[in-house]
């Protein structure tokens, strides 16, 4: 969980409607209803720019499959990448942009089904479905499900099973699936698990003993530090894993979130060396008088590269956030709780550890929602996270105090699985 | 009259939950019998006088096809009404109409 991040998320709020429409197109006269959402598949694109200059992009597809009346299964294939050189470096594929491919899964225990007498929404949709059937099912018509429809029953007394095909389709689309989306906005329990693997490419300067075997002869170069450097390029493994649990009370606006994340990543050395090679000469003062002599300077091409192989870091972070949720609108929520972030940094033969103990309070502000025709969630959210604490380790003790800002757009205001790593 | 509402479902996890109202139901209707819950091997028991009644319910669990049967316990569990439901048509808004004879 990287702090001090400025995230920019781009996601097409209209894309899901086309996806949903495509999904509906497959509906036949025998609708497959029940545990389905209005929009089972939504895309999301997440762009993150950190204050340290690195940038992260996350592309994901969020697929939800109904397991039963109360449980949904979420599958989120994710591609993510980051660079230390700003947005432009993300798409420099020849330079080995560190793309990471991963998958998150989550089990969602939906909010309870409503009890009580038929609500106005139930009656409205049933009336619409019933009217559609009454129009289609004229006397003598026994097709299109009319054989089971009886106009002598009032809409409120008509079970979905008794509607004609068109009526059942209206019922499933306008009530049943919408209600499932509503119940999925604040699931009672969500368990998420995710993992991603990829590689990052580093170019650096290091001594190459095998190439300079003659020079390493002690008679020629007794001082090891005088070994010449050569340019190395290597691909390093990047790994991410996350396990998360979220609880949202159905009776009260209260939530608990427990994310546990792991990252294995490489970082370029901060110490650099600049080296130059001769290039074409340069005329520095182009003379206007043909008889005067031009000034010619010797050209050099210089390059600055990190000195030494990149460091490898294992990072484990765990947090517990206790929060308030603005329900049912979900316009805002906040959490507060402790976070422990442990880093084990390997630099060649040496290693160092750092542990940060902080209190964080992420505040989520929803600035964009899905169209009202869809009861589900697809939110654009700004997250402000004040952090205060202490960092202890091999490098000494430091106080930590910062505020991060993040913007994202996705199905839920509650992060799941790999969404906890940014 | 003592009644038993039985639920025969494809899956043992399937549960029906709802309330019984006097029929016809209007906007101000209040349930006559609350929390009428039935599943395989678990019937709902309640008493109602003669008349026309309606059970508004939803389905929980794995779903699938299920059959509700209302039986008269005062008369050797004689079936009074029965109807087949299917969660292909959704989990909500289910209606079971029945009449209790005098």
């Amino acid at each position: 969980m990287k702090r001090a991040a400025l995230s920019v998320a781009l996601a097409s709020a209209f894309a899901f409607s086309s996806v949903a429409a495509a999904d509906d197109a497959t509906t036949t006269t025998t609708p497959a209803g029940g545990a389905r959402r209005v929009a089972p598949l939504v895309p999301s694109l997440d762009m993150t720019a950190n204050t340290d200059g690195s940038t992260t992009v996350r592309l994901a597809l969020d697929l939800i499959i109904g397991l039963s009346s109360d449980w949904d299964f979420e599958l989120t294939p994710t591609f993510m990448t980051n660079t230390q050189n700003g947005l432009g470096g993300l798409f420099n594929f020849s330079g080995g942009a560190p793309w990471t491919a991963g998958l998150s899964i989550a089990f969602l225990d939906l909010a309870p089904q409503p009890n009580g007498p038929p609500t106005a929404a139930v009656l409205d949709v049933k009336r619409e479905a019933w009217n559609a059937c009454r129009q289609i099912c004229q006397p003598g018509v026994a097709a299109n499900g009319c054989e089971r429809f009886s106009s002598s029953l009032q809409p409120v007394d008509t079970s979905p099973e008794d509607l004609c095909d068109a009526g059942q389709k209206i019922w499933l689309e306008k009530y049943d699936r919408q209600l499932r989306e509503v119940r999925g906005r604040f699931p009672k329990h969500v368990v998420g698990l995710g993992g991603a693997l990829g590689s990052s490419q580093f170019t650096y300067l290091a001594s190459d003993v095998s190439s300079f075997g003659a020079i390493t002869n002690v008679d020629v170069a007794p001082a090891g530090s005088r070994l010449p450097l050569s340019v190395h390029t290597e691909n390093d493994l990047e790994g991410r894993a996350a396990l998360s649990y979220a609880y949202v009370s159905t009776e009260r606006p209260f939530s608990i979130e427990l994310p546990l994340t792991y990252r294995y990543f490489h970082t370029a050395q901060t110490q650099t060396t600049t080296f130059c090679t001769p290039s074409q000469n340069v005329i520095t003062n182009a003379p206007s008088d043909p008889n005067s002599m031009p000034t010619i300077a010797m050209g050099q091409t210089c390059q600055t590269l990190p000195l030494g192989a990149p460091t490898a870091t294992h990072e484990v972070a765990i947090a517990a956030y206790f929060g308030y949720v603005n329900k049912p609108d979900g316009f805002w929520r906040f959490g507060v709780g402790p976070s422990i972030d442990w880093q084990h940094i390997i630099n060649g033969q040496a290693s160092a550890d750092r542990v940060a103990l902080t209190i964080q309070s992420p505040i989520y502000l929803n600035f964009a929602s899905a169209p009202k025709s869809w009861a589900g969630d697809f939110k654009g959210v700004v997250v402000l996270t004040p952090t205060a604490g202490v960092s202890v380790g091999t490098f000494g003790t430091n106080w930590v105090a910062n505020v991060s800002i993040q913007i994202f757009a996705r199905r839920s205001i509650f992060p799941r699985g790999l969404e906890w790593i940014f | 009259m003592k009644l038993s509402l039985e639920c025969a479902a494809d899956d043992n996890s399937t549960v029906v939950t709802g309330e019984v109202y006097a029929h016809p139901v209007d906007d101000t209707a209040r349930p006559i019998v609350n929390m009428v819950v039935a599943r395989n091997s678990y019937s709902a028991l309640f008493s109602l006088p003669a008349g026309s009644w309606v059970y508004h319910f939803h389905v929980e669990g794995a779903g699938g096809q299920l059959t509700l049967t209302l039986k008269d316990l005062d008369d050797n569990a004689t079936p009074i009404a029965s109807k087949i439901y299917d969660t292909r048509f959704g989990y909500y808004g289910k209606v079971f109409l029945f009449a209790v004879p005098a």
Side-chain angles (χ1 to χ4, degrees), chain A residues 30-35 68-69 113-118 126 153 156-157 159-162 168 171-172 175-176 179 183, chain B residues 17 19 21 23-25 27 29 35 54 56 58-62 83-95 97:
Chain A
T30 307
S68 70
S69 68
Q113 300 189 47
N115 281 317
K126 276 200 174 176
L153 282 178
V156 67
D157 296 329
S159 206
E161 284 78 3
D162 301 329
Q168 286 175 341
W171 172 256
L172 286 174
Y175 188 80
D176 206 87
L179 183 57
R183 294 178 62 207
Chain B
T17 303
E19 298 87 26
Y21 298 84
H23 182 255
V25 174
D27 294 344
M35 287 299 292
V54 60
H56 284 279
H58 63 257
V59 182
E60 297 174 9
K83 186 173 173 61
I84 297 170
Y85 299 87
D86 199 320
T87 55
R88 277 194 307 145
F89 310 114
Y91 282 85
Y92 320 109
K94 307 287 190 188
V95 182
L97 273 169

Side-chain angles (χ1 to χ4, degrees), chain A residues 15-17 19-20 37-43 61-64 75 411:
Chain A
F16 62 80
S17 55
V19 171
R37 300 280 192 116
V38 175
L41 183 68
V42 294
L61 280 176
D62 187 333
L63 173 67
I64 282 196
L75 195 66
R411 189 190 288 272

Side-chain angles (χ1 to χ4, degrees), chain A residues 208-334:
Chain A
D208 188 341
V209 175
S210 61
S211 297
F212 297 94
I215 301 174
T216 56
N217 186 315
V218 290
D219 296 333
V220 180
S225 61
R226 294 297 181 186
L227 286 175
L229 302 171
S230 59
V231 177
H232 291 244
T233 298
E234 70 176 33
N235 289 303
D236 290 312
L237 180 71
E238 299 277 326
R240 293 174 170 83
L243 175 66
S244 65
Y245 168 76
Y247 165 79
V248 180
S249 170
T250 53
E251 293 83 20
R252 301 172 193 281
F254 173 69
S255 67
I256 300 172
E257 294 170 280
L258 303 170
L260 171 65
T261 63
Y262 167 78
R263 283 205 309 154
Y264 177 66
F265 60 95
H266 289 78
T267 309
Q269 298 280 357
T270 53
Q271 193 179 359
T272 59
T273 290
T274 301
F275 61 96
C276 302
T277 53
S279 64
Q280 283 184 296
N281 290 339
V282 178
I283 299 172
T284 57
N285 62 334
S288 53
D289 180 359
N291 296 320
S292 64
M293 290 294 288
T295 304
I296 298 176
M298 191 171 66
Q300 285 184 316
T301 300
C302 296
Q303 196 176 357
T304 300
L305 288 175
L307 199 54
T311 61
T313 303
H314 296 274
E315 180 183 33
V316 178
I318 188 167
Y321 301 111
F322 303 90
Y324 175 90
V325 192
N326 165 242
K327 290 198 294 185
D329 300 320
F331 288 138
W332 63 281
R333 75 177 186 91
F334 78 89

Side-chain angles (χ1 to χ4, degrees), chain B residues 11-92:
Chain B
D11 192 284
N12 282 333
S13 69
T14 301
V15 181
V16 295
T17 303
E19 298 87 26
V20 175
Y21 298 84
H23 182 255
V25 174
D26 61 26
D27 294 344
T28 59
R30 289 182 173 275
I32 306 298
V33 187
N34 274 308
M35 287 299 292
V36 177
V37 179
R39 63 193 303 173
N40 281 347
S41 75
Y42 181 86
S43 302
L45 304 177
F46 50 91
S47 297
L48 286 172
S52 186
W53 308 93
V54 60
Y55 175 48
H56 284 279
F57 68 99
H58 63 257
V59 182
E60 297 174 9
Q65 198 173 76
L66 59 105
T67 304
L68 291 188
T69 305
L70 188 73
K71 292 181 176 177
D72 179 0
L73 296 182
D74 291 336
D75 185 16
N76 282 331
T78 307
I80 295 174
S82 185
K83 186 173 173 61
I84 297 170
Y85 299 87
D86 199 320
T87 55
R88 277 194 307 145
F89 310 114
Y91 282 85
Y92 320 109

